[in-house]
């Protein structure tokens, strides 16, 4: 698995899991942006483009599904729920 | 999705069963009422027929007697047959007032006899109404005084006789002379007779129906409550598994990362991952604790491991942990331990869990900087512990339910505060098991205070 510096937006409210996942992805040469809740995530989405978005479904302020809907209205990024 | 369908299905089934049951119950009640009414009506009809037939016989007998008497008189006066004389005498006798035509004793005897003959064994009143003078000439074996005025308003027995449906004409053949009368009978205990063979079965079926109804409602309530509880438990399990997945995934990812060659050289990074693994481990431990707590409340007959404890020590330990959490949100936990004697008898694990749970709530339900105060004081009953926060507080309605299993006041679609609604029900169960007492003071938006009191000694050790 190799990322070739593709950009990933990771939205996850659990600090530890977010941390570990980011390091793991970075290890594989992805460029990862971590947002700790849904509304920060949607701010990031507005500002720049990502090759892949990973959302946690259960999050404070804005949940993953809402975020995904927002995103789908704008672009054609790959979506991944978990 | 399948689960949902199943739920819907069984909810509908319950509804249909309940509906069918209600309908058949209504049907049974209806049929019973119908039969009772039918029986009563039948009784009344039989009685009516018997009474009227008895009275007709009485009337016949009375008329016959009068006729015989008149003929005797006639025979005495005229020995020869003379149509004119006969006619005159007949008219004279027919013109007599009704009380003159009736022999009191004869009427009384014949009425009693006839009623008995018709199987009517009931107290009765009777009267002979004089239609000419509009008064009761005879009532219950006594002649009555003729009133001076007509159209008197009848009361008492007269009124009863007036409206009685047992009325038979007397001397109808004297109608031309205006000396007709009416025999009226009234039964004060008629009601009793009509119901005599019905009331027992009516009451019995009433009682049985009531019992069935009660059992039905009771069963329904239990089913609905049980269903709700099982749904809640399902929710809990779903929630729990989700909560378990996160630490498991984190630990698995962290170990994978450590194994990778780029990181194994980097001591700092390894340490960070190890730290995370440790934290997640603790998290899982506390989750397991939650499940155990839930099992405990469920079981109810837990054993407490009683020993002498210093409540202040336990509080200080718990506060230390809570302070770490509060500091993350920029808050603080203050302590004011004023109790002089802080020894209590209790189970170390549970007492410590109680304080942990309350502090955890105070912290969780303070959205801004948590400002928590823990204080103790001496009271007559023992040691009082107050845990006060300045968080979101609760409404009166919420306050009523917070000690219920699985109840969560602050839910919504946004999972900003995680929990299972088990903490307080565990706390309450345990406080009560320690013969203590728990109270809440709370105002929405202002904050909450939980006050627990522990006795120094547990006196009755039954069920502990
Ligand atoms: N200090 C508090 N301030 C405001 N609301 C509170 C407080 N403590 C409890 N509550 C309310 O009471 C509910 C029940 O609390 P409880 O501790 O039983 O469950 P929980 O905290 O939601 O979950 P957990 O089982 O993880 O403790 C909470 O959901 C919350 O709405
Ligand atoms: Mg709680």
């Amino acid at each position: 698995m190799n990322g070739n510096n593709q950009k990933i937006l990771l939205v996850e409210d659990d600090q530890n899991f977010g941390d570990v996942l980011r390091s793991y992805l970075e290890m594989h040469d992805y460029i990862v942006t971590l947002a700790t809740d849904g509304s920060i995530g949607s701010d990031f989405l507005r500002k720049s483009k990502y090759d892949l978005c990973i959302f946690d479904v259960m999050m404070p302020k804005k949940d993953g599904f809402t975020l995904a809907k927002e995103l789908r209205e704008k672009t054609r990024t790959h979506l991944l729920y978990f | 999705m399948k689960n949902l369908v199943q739920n819907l299905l069984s909810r509908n089934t319950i509804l249909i069963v309940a509906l069918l049951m209600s309908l058949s119950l209504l049907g049974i009640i209806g049929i019973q009422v119908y039969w009772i009414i039918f029986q009563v009506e039948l009784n009344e009809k039989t009685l009516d027929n018997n009474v009227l037939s008895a009275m007709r016989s009485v009337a016949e007998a009375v008329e016959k007697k009068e006729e015989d008497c008149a003929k005797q008189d006639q025979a005495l006066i005229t020995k020869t047959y003379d149509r004119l004389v006969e006619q005159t005498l007949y008219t004279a006798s027919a013109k007599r007032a009704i009380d003159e035509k009736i022999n009191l004793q004869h009427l009384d005897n014949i009425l009693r006899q006839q009623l008995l003959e018709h199987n009517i064994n009931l107290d009765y009143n009777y009267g002979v109404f004089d239609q000419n003078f509009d008064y009761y000439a005879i009532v219950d074996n006594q002649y009555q005084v003729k009133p001076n005025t007509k159209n008197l308003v009848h009361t008492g027995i007269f009124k009863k006789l007036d409206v009685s449906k047992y009325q038979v004409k007397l001397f109808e053949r004297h109608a031309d002379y205006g000396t007709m009368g009416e025999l009226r009978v009234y039964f004060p205990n008629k009601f009793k007779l009509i119901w005599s063979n019905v009331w027992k079965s009516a009451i019995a079926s009433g009682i049985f129906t009531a019992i069935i109804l009660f059992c039905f409602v009771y069963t329904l309530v239990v089913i609905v409550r049980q269903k709700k509880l099982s749904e809640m438990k399902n929710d809990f399990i779903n929630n729990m598994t989700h909560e378990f997945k996160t630490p498991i995934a984190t630990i698995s990812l962290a170990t994978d990362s450590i194994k990778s060659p780029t990181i194994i050289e980097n001591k700092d990074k390894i340490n960070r991952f190890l730290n995370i693994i440790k934290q997640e481990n603790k998290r899982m431990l506390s989750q397991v604790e939650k499940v155990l707590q839930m099992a405990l409340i469920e079981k109810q007959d837990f054993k407490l491991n009683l020993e002498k404890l210093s409540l202040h020590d336990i509080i200080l330990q718990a506060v230390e942990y809570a302070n770490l959490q509060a500091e993350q949100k920029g808050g603080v936990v203050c302590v004011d331990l004023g109790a002089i004697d802080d020894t209590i008898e209790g189970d170390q694990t549970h007492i410590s869990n109680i304080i942990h749970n309350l502090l955890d709530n105070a912290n969780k339900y303070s959205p801004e900087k948590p400002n928590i105060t823990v204080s103790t004081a001496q009271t007559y009953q023992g040691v009082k512990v107050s845990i006060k926060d300045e968080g979101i507080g609760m409404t009166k309605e919420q306050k009523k339910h917070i000690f219920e299993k699985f109840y969560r006041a602050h839910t919504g679609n946004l999972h900003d505060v995680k929990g299972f609604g088990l903490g307080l029900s565990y706390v309450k169960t345990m406080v009560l098991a320690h013969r203590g007492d728990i109270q809440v003071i709370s105002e929405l938006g202002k904050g909450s205070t939980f006050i627990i009191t522990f006795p120094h000694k547990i006196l009755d050790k039954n069920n502990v």
Side-chain angles (χ1 to χ4, degrees), chain B residues 289 293 296 314 318 347-360 423 426-427 430:
Chain B
E289 196 72 29
Q293 286 176 8
L296 261 188
I314 293 174
D347 187 318
Q348 163 112 39
T349 332
H350 293 308
I351 299 280
S352 150
N353 277 341
I354 291 172
I355 309 287
H356 266 293
N357 263 308
L358 292 178
L359 283 171
D360 177 49
Y426 165 79
V427 165
M430 280 307 153

Side-chain angles (χ1 to χ4, degrees), chain B residues 290 356-358 360-362 364-365 408 418-424 427:
Chain B
K290 264 267 135 68
H356 266 293
N357 263 308
L358 292 178
D360 177 49
N361 280 350
K364 272 202 306 197
Y365 300 109
R408 300 203 67 217
K418 287 193 170 129
F420 302 104
L422 282 177
L424 286 181
V427 165

Side-chain angles (χ1 to χ4, degrees), chain B residues 143-157:
Chain B
Y143 288 119
Q144 301 291 308
V145 184
K146 195 191 292 175
N148 293 327
T149 47
K150 284 191 169 185
N151 299 326
L152 277 178
V153 175
H154 285 172
T155 54
I157 182 68

Side-chain angles (χ1 to χ4, degrees), chain A residues 14 16-17 21 23 27 58, chain B residues 250 253 260 263 279-280 283:
Chain A
D14 190 279
N16 282 344
F17 187 64
L21 190 56
S23 323
M27 240 162 51
M58 300 215 292
Chain B
T250 311
L253 211 55
S260 92
I263 286 184
Q279 277 175 25
E280 293 300 309
R283 191 156 123 191

Side-chain angles (χ1 to χ4, degrees), chain B residues 229-277:
Chain B
L229 206 67
S230 92
E231 274 169 15
M232 279 171 154
K233 239 181 230 168
N234 250 341
D235 274 4
F236 170 76
I237 289 168
N238 285 344
N239 247 335
M240 209 33 152
T241 33
H242 181 92
E243 293 295 295
F244 268 119
K245 268 185 189 159
T246 317
I248 291 171
T250 311
I251 290 174
S252 144
L253 211 55
T255 42
D256 275 1
S257 306
I258 291 175
K259 270 196 290 189
S260 92
T262 44
I263 286 184
I264 209 140
E265 312 286 305
N266 189 336
K267 266 235 155 76
D268 275 355
K269 273 210 164 159
I270 288 184
N271 262 336
R272 218 184 83 215
F273 282 131
L274 286 179
N275 243 334
I276 285 176
I277 290 174

